Every structure is written in C-alpha cells, then in structure tokens.
Amino acid sequence: MADGKEVLGADRHSKKISSILVTQPKPANDNSPYLSIAEKYGIKVDFRAFIEIEPVSYKDFRKEKINILDHTAVIFTSRNAVDHFFRICAEGKIEVPAEMKYFCISDQTAYYLQKYIVLRKRKLFIGGKTASDLFDVLKKHKSEKFLYPCSNIRKEDIPEFMRANGFNFTEATMYKTVASDLSDLAEVKYDCIAFFSPSGVHSLFVNFPDFKQNDTRIAAFGPTTAQAVRDAGLELDIEAPMPNAPSMTGAIEVYIQQHSKKK
C-alpha cells in the first residue's frame, strides 16, 4: 500500500479526509451508513476484506480426535462458527441429537441457527452481546459437556472462563482466519483506514511489511483492535465505540466534524 513521504505528525489532522478504506466486504445493499458519509462529505469510500475464512477439512478435523457426539452442548460466538460446525457434521455424516443444547453469544447468532435447525424444537440459551454476558448463562449449566467451535485465531475470554471455572470443555478449530491477498492495493493510498479486528491489522503488515502511517488516519472498532493498532506501532486517531458515537461510522463522522472546525 503506497505511503506518503511526509513524516507522521499532528498536522495531519488538519488535512481533509477524502478517501476511506473500510477493511470489510462491501455491503450487500445501498443502505450502508458509510455511503451516507461518502455523499454527505464528498468522500470516496472503498470496501475490501482484509481477512478471509478458510474451512478446516473434515480429514484435518479428525486429527484433533474430537468426538462431537461426546458433548451435550455447543457454544457459538459467530455465524462462521455455526456454518462450520454444521459443515463438519455434514461431511462426517454426524447426526446431531435433538437433545443437544446451544449457547449463543447474541440474538443474531441464535437467529442464524434457523438456517440449520428448527429453533422451537431445540434447547437454546442466549447471552447479551458479549462473552461476559454469556458467562452468567453458562454458570447455570455447569454439568454439560461443552464444545466450542472456533477459528485458529480467537479471543481468550471464553476458554479462560471455562478453564478457570472447571467446565468440561473442548475447543475445536473448525475454520481458519487468514490474511487476504492485497497486492493490488500496493500503489493505492487512503486518508483513513478502518479496522475491525486484530486480524485485519495483522493482514496489513503481512501484505505490506514496510507500511508507514505518515498522514493516514487509523480507525479501530473495539478495544482489542485498538490495542492491536498500538502494538503495531501505529497512532490511533479514531476509536469506536464512543459514548457519543457507538458505531464506526459515527466515530469517523465525529472526527471529520471536529477537525473541519479547526481549519
């Protein structure tokens, strides 16, 4: 990714943001709040997924010597986990019993389960929006044998909680998070890059080991992403969520408004 030749400095905040790279896939519809920002402020907004999900083959999964049917409950923290759990079951011709309990981190993940099962006929338990919200639910079912389908890159919160509280718990890597090939962006420069996961920050440096921030503003969503930005030696300019801006687009707009007033 092309870099400017100017040295990183506070004066970069006085420079107008004319282009934003959102490190996520392009939205399926035209109702994206990013497009509203683009129209309102005359900004070019591009979307590009910085990470990709690769399935772990059933053959490789078998090497983990995990028997899904030895478990009585499954913990789902994302749609990817749901998809790959049922993919592995289908490839292994594993019929999940109706008695299996499902613990979902959010309503959205629970609702997505309808793609594979009839929810009203299953035992479903839902947290709030975060892993810590799910912990209170899990504590009421400590006698279960839990399976946790996940990526090779995942947060430590759930495994640490399960181990610390003596749960019968198996972690199962069913898919992998890998860096996308971004070589076509080598000669492209953006005024702002928005990150949503530590993996996205990692992908930037996998593709461009010599990346220099210079005048590029860096935005991050969530504390782990923000920390990954700082750990990479970058200066974080826009951090979301904020009390007055719970979304990434809201935080970016606040930044644009604040710094346009300083001119």
Side-chain angles (χ1 to χ4, degrees), residues 12-19 41-43 191 217 263:
R12 76 187 193 285
H13 296 298
S14 65
K15 298 182 179 181
K16 179 183 176 183
I17 290 180
S18 300
S19 59
Y41 297 98
I43 294 173
D191 297 319
R217 268 55 61 89
K263 294 181 181 180

Side-chain angles (χ1 to χ4, degrees), residues 44-79:
K44 174 188 175 184
V45 177
D46 289 339
F47 298 88
R48 181 62 177 276
F50 268 40
I51 58 175
E52 297 176 0
I53 300 298
E54 290 185 352
V56 170
S57 69
Y58 180 65
K59 180 181 178 181
D60 287 339
F61 175 72
R62 288 185 62 188
K63 294 177 183 178
E64 295 189 46
K65 297 182 179 180
I66 296 172
N67 185 349
I68 290 175
L69 297 181
D70 282 346
H71 302 82
T72 61
V74 185
I75 299 173
F76 289 126
T77 58
S78 69
R79 293 184 177 187

